[in-house]
Amino acid sequence: MARGLFAESGADLELVGVRKEFPGFTAVEQLDLTIAAGTFFALLGPSGCGKTTTLRLVAGLEEPTAGRILIGGADVTDTKPFRRPVNTVFQSYALFPHMSVLENVAFGLRRRGIGDPLGKAHTALQLVELDHLAERKPAQLSGGQQQRVALARAVVNRPALLLLDEPLGALDLKLRRQMQLELKNIQTEVGLTFVHVTHDQEEAMTMADTVAVMNKGRIEQIGAPEELYELPRTSFVANFLGQSNLFAGEVVESGDATIGVQAAGRRILVPTERAQRRSGSVTVGVRPEKLLLLTEEPAATAGINVLGPGRVTDVSFSGVSTQYLVEVPGVGTIIVFAQNLVFGPVVERGAEVWVSWRVEHGFGLSDAPVSSIAQAHEALVGGAEA
Amino acid sequence: MSGNTQAGLVLGQEIGAEELAPAPVRRRAYGFSAGKWLLPVYCTLALAFLLVPIVYTIVFSFNDSVKTNIAWRGFTLDNWLNVCSEPGVCEAFGNSLLIGVTSTTIATVLGTMIALALVRYRFRFRAATNLLLFLPMATPEVVIGAGLAAQFLSAGIAKGLGTIIVAHAMFCLSFVVVTVKARVASLDPALEDAGRDLYGSSSQVFWRITFPLLLPGILAAALLSFSLSFDDFIITYFNSGSVNTFPTFIYTAATRGIPAEANVIASAVFLLAIAIVLIGQLSAQARRKRLAR
Ligand SMILES: Nc1ncnc2c1ncn2[C@@H]1O[C@H](COP(=O)(O)OP(=O)(O)O)[C@@H](O)[C@H]1O
Ligand SMILES: [Mg+2]
């Protein structure tokens, strides 16, 4: 019996060449992935990219068309879902409507014949601070409470692997922030491996130790949140995780320390080790908050990239920072985030400005440029892979 | 500024119109005073039309009848106390119960399984199965009855309880499938996924999640099926041989005069059905109140 698999600590998850085809549609193209035991792993991607399918494959609710799935080193590809040491918090919660909250939470324990299911269920409900509602039916709870019951129902089994499918999607912003912290606390407390699926990049970055960005059934990049943010490798990641200014151009010089890219009549330098491609036409980028807005053309300085002159076409105030849109001829629109260190915007609409940034903040991508707008458009109309 | 004035004007006009309105409205109400009476009268007549035969049946179950139960001869409880004294009445009633319960059980079990298969799985002949299940509902009963009778004859099966049960199970099946299918379609498949994810084997998931959630639909289907079977005359008449069910008994008896004992059983069934409905309503109400607290 698989009972020996149920560990007091998390297990690592390994996906080897996993592929899932539905009739007429390939939901997961190719997944190779290792998630270390005890980590909080986030699977981030737009709607329809195959996140839910990936979780269902791990839980055993779908069978992969190809590839192997290993949990804690054991191959579970052909194991029935009820024999896998995995529990899922479903996107729709899927609480059993005909059972009380307590019976919902005790369900898994009862099926495995674990002693004192009700006592353990009460403990799990205390963990999510819902023990006082144990006798209610799920329909009598709010969305946030149902979400916490779903979490308790999964955590109480102490699965080696806990899968969370956009569990916070239905909550309002404030409750979502609060639940993010709670989830993170619970994960640290129980020491299980969490695989958290979300399409909210902020959620992924605040909660996870490791984030994988998924797009069209493939993983584009895996890494720590800071790493993904500071050094995106594809334009999809650069635009899905925060915003980016991307410039296409030809590599005109390639040195040990930097490569030079000719874009919009200017030379943009990018550190060589931060560039995925070092010859031919490339896309380089920089994050909007790394940019400095200047009202006079700066003197050429080593280690600084400058673009301009351009014209400010839009100024929008968002509290901590102000977003400026700068139209630079030959380059397009550049987004600049400036901290509101003084009252009011620094420059007005229509002002002539230059933007500059430090060379070490730039990054070079491995693919052709896709602007944020084009990407959003493609996500909407489901355009074909270029 | 001018916009404000305009709005104020419009508002003023509206208020004025409202103040003027009551008079014509009231006149209109007077004008339609016939309508005020027509509906209640119509409803009362319709109800009476529906209830008279039932009331007649109940009242005449207390008639001190001798041969025929047509003229009122005086009140008695004898019919109620000795229902089975009239030969054939209780036997026919018992047959109807037996046939109803057996065919309902067969139709409900089979129908539930078919409904699950039709909603959950894509298989060859799925569309054809849907169509076939619809046919008994669309075909006139006489045709089904005669057709079945011919089949039993050519297969050399003697008519009796067995053939009636088979016939009833057949036409009840369609109604069960239709009723349960609606329930299955509204069942969130994620619930069963959650059951499997929470260490439930296939049978545990079925009995602890799928079945309890389908139960209201299955019960409704079973009740419908039982009442259809209990009621059925045409198909039964073709396939009953020498066996009498309650409807066929009454049909035969009608030529001689229906015994008052038949009225007793009919009244009892009616009152029982009403009682069940009332109990169901009241307990549902009590449950709602408890939940609301
Ligand atoms: N059972 C299925 N049959 C056919 N297509 C499916 C099925 N399940 C999911 N898909 C398709 O696979 C793609 C990925 O779905 P999903 O994994 O649910 O995406 P996500 O959770 O990232 O939004 C979607 O385009 C969806 O239409
Ligand atoms: Mg999903």
Side-chain angles (χ1 to χ4, degrees):
Chain A
M1 177 72 200
R3 191 163 298 164
L5 275 173
F6 295 99
E8 283 299 297
S9 62
D12 39 335
L13 168 69
E14 206 177 328
L15 302 183
V16 186
V18 170
R19 180 179 173 81
K20 177 66 190 176
E21 291 168 12
F22 290 114
F25 190 85
T26 306
V28 172
E29 294 272 356
Q30 167 87 24
L31 279 187
D32 289 284
L33 181 65
T34 306
I35 299 175
T39 51
F40 198 122
F41 186 91
L43 197 55
L44 173 68
S47 184
C49 73
K51 306 182 297 292
T52 298
T53 307
T54 306
L55 287 197
R56 291 176 63 83
L57 287 167
V58 175
L61 299 170
E62 300 290 353
E63 277 177 35
T65 313
R68 311 304 298 169
I69 297 167
L70 293 89
I71 297 174
D75 191 329
V76 296
T77 316
D78 303 315
T79 308
K80 286 255 162 50
F82 67 94
R83 295 196 195 281
R84 295 191 190 196
V86 174
N87 283 111
T88 310
V89 178
F90 289 85
Q91 197 161 5
S92 57
Y93 311 146
L95 299 177
F96 307 129
H98 57 300
M99 295 181 198
S100 70
V101 165
L102 188 66
E103 279 302 327
N104 261 282
V105 178
F107 189 88
L109 299 172
R110 285 197 196 280
R111 297 290 79 73
R112 277 161 59 210
I114 299 224
D116 190 23
L118 293 182
K120 291 198 169 80
H122 273 298
T123 314
L125 282 172
Q126 277 157 16
L127 185 70
V128 296
E129 293 169 8
L130 279 180
D131 201 26
H132 58 294
L133 301 180
E135 296 311 320
R136 292 226 191 146
K137 289 277 169 67
Q140 297 167 277
L141 302 182
S142 74
Q145 290 168 335
Q146 290 184 20
Q147 192 274 325
R148 273 148 55 192
V149 174
L151 182 65
R153 184 177 72 171
V155 169
V156 74
N157 300 294
R158 300 199 131 277
L161 199 59
L162 185 69
L163 310 176
L164 302 114
D165 193 356
E166 306 202 27
L168 310 180
L171 308 183
D172 59 57
L173 191 66
K174 192 154 170 257
L175 195 55
R176 192 150 79 219
R177 293 279 170 270
Q178 187 189 333
M179 283 306 298
Q180 286 173 3
L181 290 177
E182 278 182 41
L183 263 185
K184 184 76 190 157
N185 285 341
I186 289 171
Q187 192 260 341
T188 325
E189 211 168 301
V190 295
L192 305 175
T193 313
F194 274 38
V195 181
H196 181 98
V197 155
T198 176
H199 64 256
D200 179 345
Q201 45 109 0
E202 213 174 311
E203 188 174 301
M205 289 204 281
T206 47
M207 296 172 81
D209 306 316
T210 311
V211 177
V213 180
M214 198 166 172
N215 182 30
K216 290 178 188 156
R218 283 175 194 281
I219 287 186
E220 295 248 342
Q221 192 173 351
I222 299 183
E226 306 80 23
E227 187 188 324
L228 286 192
Y229 187 80
E230 299 300 351
L231 190 53
R233 269 195 251 125
T234 66
S235 54
F236 179 84
V237 177
N239 285 320
F240 194 76
L241 220 63
Q243 284 173 294
S244 293
N245 293 301
L246 301 183
F247 315 107
E250 295 289 325
V251 175
V252 288
E253 60 172 82
S254 183
D256 283 343
T258 58
I259 60 165
V261 177
Q262 192 71 23
R266 295 264 184 174
R267 180 158 307 181
I268 299 175
L269 298 182
V270 174
T272 309
E273 86 258 8
R274 287 173 63 86
Q276 303 301 320
R277 295 208 314 211
R278 284 153 201 186
S279 61
S281 33
V282 295
T283 306
V284 294
V286 63
R287 294 289 186 183
E289 73 279 4
K290 305 286 192 308
L291 297 180
L292 209 57
L293 215 50
L294 306 162
T295 48
E296 281 166 29
E297 178 157 20
T301 319
I304 301 282
N305 286 317
V306 178
L307 283 181
R311 212 156 275 287
V312 175
T313 56
D314 190 63
V315 180
S316 50
F317 176 76
S318 69
V320 271
S321 67
T322 302
Q323 173 188 290
Y324 299 91
L325 295 185
V326 179
E327 185 72 35
V328 178
V331 176
T333 304
I334 296 178
I335 308 167
V336 182
F337 291 152
Q339 281 233 308
N340 289 326
L341 299 175
V342 292
F343 292 126
V346 186
V347 292
E348 300 292 338
R349 250 179 80 170
E352 190 184 52
V353 292
W354 284 260
V355 292
S356 76
W357 70 94
R358 298 165 70 91
V359 168
E360 65 260 33
H361 286 153
F363 48 80
L365 302 177
S366 62
D367 54 2
V370 181
S371 74
S372 305
I373 294 162
Q375 191 170 314
H377 178 70
E378 193 182 318
L380 273 178
V381 301
E385 173 90 289
Chain B
M1 200 59 217
S2 74
N4 275 350
T5 335
Q6 239 169 5
L9 264 178
V10 172
L11 214 67
Q13 273 168 0
E14 267 174 13
I15 291 166
E18 251 171 66
E19 274 170 352
L20 284 174
V25 165
R26 220 172 281 147
R27 204 175 306 131
R28 259 174 58 169
Y30 281 126
F32 268 77
S33 63
K36 213 167 158 186
W37 294 106
L38 205 61
L39 191 64
V41 168
Y42 172 77
C43 286
T44 316
L45 282 177
L47 260 180
F49 183 69
L50 288 173
L51 285 177
V52 160
I54 297 172
V55 172
Y56 170 86
T57 306
I58 296 176
V59 168
F60 273 74
S61 73
F62 295 104
N63 189 16
D64 189 6
S65 64
V66 184
K67 251 193 199 145
T68 61
N69 192 12
I70 294 169
W72 182 256
R73 289 171 42 94
F75 181 85
T76 177
L77 284 176
D78 279 359
N79 304 326
W80 281 82
L81 295 176
N82 310 307
V83 199
C84 291
S85 64
E86 174 72 24
V89 173
C90 280
E91 192 200 327
F93 182 66
N95 283 343
S96 272
L97 280 186
L98 177 70
I99 293 163
V101 168
T102 317
S103 58
T104 294
T105 309
I106 297 173
T108 308
V109 171
L110 274 180
T112 302
M113 296 197 291
I114 294 175
L116 273 168
L118 283 175
V119 178
R120 287 295 164 75
Y121 303 100
R122 302 277 167 273
F123 49 91
R124 211 153 23 143
F125 305 125
R126 182 167 161 270
T129 310
N130 262 322
L131 187 71
L132 274 177
L133 282 164
F134 184 66
L135 278 182
M137 289 193 279
T139 316
E141 282 198 56
V142 205
V143 177
I144 299 186
L148 273 171
Q151 292 306 306
F152 287 135
L153 188 71
S154 66
I157 299 168
K159 288 179 187 170
L161 274 180
T163 50
I164 304 178
I165 289 172
V166 168
H168 283 202
M170 188 208 92
F171 74 78
C172 288
L173 185 69
S174 307
F175 291 93
V176 172
V177 172
V178 169
T179 315
V180 178
K181 230 168 82 175
R183 188 82 194 178
V184 178
S186 71
L187 185 70
D188 182 2
L191 294 174
E192 285 164 318
D193 285 344
R196 292 197 285 158
D197 186 66
L198 290 163
Y199 316 107
S201 62
S202 308
S203 70
Q204 286 173 329
V205 168
F206 180 79
W207 288 112
R208 292 183 186 275
I209 295 161
T210 317
F211 183 73
L213 291 174
L214 293 183
L215 194 57
I218 295 175
L219 282 182
L223 276 178
L224 177 67
S225 165
F226 182 81
S227 71
L228 285 172
S229 160
F230 193 83
D231 248 13
D232 183 74
F233 172 74
I234 302 175
I235 296 177
T236 313
Y237 198 65
F238 275 103
N239 296 288
S240 56
S242 61
V243 173
N244 256 335
T245 66
F246 195 58
T248 60
F249 172 81
I250 290 182
Y251 178 75
T252 336
T255 50
R256 295 177 269 118
I258 301 166
E261 284 79 3
N263 288 41
V264 171
I265 289 187
S267 311
V269 168
F270 172 77
L271 294 175
L272 192 72
I274 292 281
I276 291 174
V277 169
L278 274 181
I279 290 170
Q281 291 277 348
L282 289 177
S283 70
Q285 213 164 23
R287 201 163 46 231
R288 263 200 300 279
K289 262 192 202 134
R290 216 174 37 242
L291 286 186
R293 249 192 303 123

